[in-house]
């Protein structure tokens, strides 16, 4: 079946530190991969999206690269800010069907000033 | 841009009660979704609708009903609230199917006493 694994339940950093959030997936075919971010009191919002055509996405200083060999889609940022504190979801769209999104369990990022 | 409005923001009910959550969008999107968010479990799809008067079951539809009487609105009914149930229900919309960006509301937090 289709699955998304985020092993880190919580990541705690200080401002300006490097962020790495792990995401691996399992599926067949050529998925589209997303990172959504959810700030306190809000719904999730799209952070970035990557297809097999472009392999890499970036937005607001965040980057993620789709690696078919290791089936990974890790999220990185060189220097975090306190305002980046949020929950980050790795999401897999494994075909064009309407209900074909699989969400990871989410990683809580806490950034202290 | 558009917005998704969910009402109420907080909903407290009694065990066995039927409870209705409402969602409105002004994106003019065709597809709307209801997700349930539990701490540490990611998002799970309850129902979705690809057009007015259409309803499709997700992975978690048991115990819920939905209604899409207009393109702009999508309601969810908890048919019999379970004691000690606590979750956030998120409504979302998208232009089309699985690889399209989802736009979420800020959620309804349900508590059952």
């Amino acid at each position: 079946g289709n699955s998304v694994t985020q092993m880190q339940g919580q990541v705690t950093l200080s401002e300006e530190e490097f962020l790495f959030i792990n995401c691996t997936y399992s599926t067949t075919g050529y998925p589209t991969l997303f990172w959504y971010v959810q700030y306190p009191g809000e719904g999730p919002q799209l952070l970035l999206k990557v297809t097999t055509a472009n392999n890499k996405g970036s937005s607001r200083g965040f980057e993620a690269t789709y690696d078919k060999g290791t089936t990974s889609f890790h999220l990185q940022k060189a220097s975090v800010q306190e305002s980046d504190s949020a929950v980050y979801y790795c999401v897999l769209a494994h075909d064009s069907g309407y209900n074909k999104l699989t969400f990871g369990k989410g990683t809580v990022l806490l950034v202290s000033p | 841009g558009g917005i998704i409005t969910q009402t109420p923001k907080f909903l407290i009910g009694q065990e066995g009660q039927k409870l209705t959550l409402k969602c409105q969008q002004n994106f003019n999107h065709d597809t709307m979704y209801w997700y349930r968010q539990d701490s540490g479990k990611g998002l799970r799809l309850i129902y979705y609708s690809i057009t007015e008067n259409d309803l499709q079951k997700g992975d978690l539809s048991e115990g819920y009903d939905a209604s899409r009487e207009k393109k702009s609105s999508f309601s969810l009914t908890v048919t019999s609230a379970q004691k000690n149930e606590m979750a956030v229900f998120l409504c979302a919309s998208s232009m089309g199917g699985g690889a399209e960006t989802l736009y979420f509301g800020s959620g309804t937090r349900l508590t059952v006493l």
Side-chain angles (χ1 to χ4, degrees), chain B residues 75-90:
Chain B
S75 62
L76 180 73
T77 298
V78 180
T79 56
S80 179
Q82 300 300 303
K83 190 172 177 62
N84 296 324
E85 182 173 8
M86 182 180 291
V88 176
F89 292 84
L90 292 165

Side-chain angles (χ1 to χ4, degrees), chain A residues 18-21 35 48 61-65 74-78:
Chain A
F18 172 73
L19 170 68
F20 181 90
I21 298 180
W35 280 98
L48 53 85
F62 292 88
E63 290 185 345
T65 300
H74 309 314
L75 183 68
Q76 302 181 73
K77 187 177 185 185

Side-chain angles (χ1 to χ4, degrees), chain A residues 32 34 36 38 41-46 49 87 89 93 95-101 103-106, chain B residues 31 33 35 37 40-43 45 48 50 57-58 90 96-106:
Chain A
T32 298
F34 308 81
Y36 278 80
Q38 184 176 23
E42 299 181 10
Q45 58 182 266
L46 180 68
K49 170 182 174 179
V87 182
Y89 290 99
D95 65 31
S96 60
Y98 289 92
N99 65 338
K100 300 301 184 185
L101 289 181
F103 282 77
K105 294 184 178 181
Chain B
T31 310
Y33 311 78
Y35 282 90
Q37 182 177 39
K41 291 187 178 179
L43 276 65
L45 182 65
Y48 67 101
I50 64 174
K57 291 183 178 181
L90 292 165
E100 295 287 334
T101 299
L102 264 61
Y103 295 85
F104 285 87
S106 58

Side-chain angles (χ1 to χ4, degrees), chain B:
Chain B
I3 191 169
I4 293 189
T5 302
Q6 291 188 238
T7 55
K9 286 190 181 298
F10 300 93
L11 182 58
I12 300 174
Q14 301 292 327
E15 184 180 20
Q17 193 175 1
K18 179 185 287 189
L19 303 167
T20 298
L21 293 67
K22 295 186 182 296
C23 176
Q24 296 268 348
Q25 56 101 356
N26 63 0
F27 288 98
N28 199 34
H29 284 163
D30 291 316
T31 310
M32 296 186 73
Y33 311 78
W34 277 106
Y35 282 90
R36 175 176 166 133
Q37 182 177 39
D38 294 277
S39 179
K41 291 187 178 179
L43 276 65
R44 293 178 289 173
L45 182 65
I46 305 172
Y47 267 96
Y48 67 101
S49 166
I50 64 174
T51 189
E52 186 177 323
N53 292 319
D54 174 75
L55 292 174
Q56 306 287 337
K57 291 183 178 181
D59 298 326
L60 207 65
S61 61
E62 188 172 338
Y64 303 95
D65 287 328
S67 174
R68 181 99 182 268
E69 294 176 353
K70 295 191 299 184
K71 185 176 182 179
S72 62
S73 66
F74 193 29
S75 62
L76 180 73
T77 298
V78 180
T79 56
S80 179
Q82 300 300 303
K83 190 172 177 62
N84 296 324
E85 182 173 8
M86 182 180 291
V88 176
F89 292 84
L90 292 165
C91 176
S93 71
S94 68
M95 184 64 74
E100 295 287 334
T101 299
L102 264 61
Y103 295 85
F104 285 87
S106 58
T108 293
R109 183 175 294 276
L110 171 66
T111 303
V112 182
L113 303 176

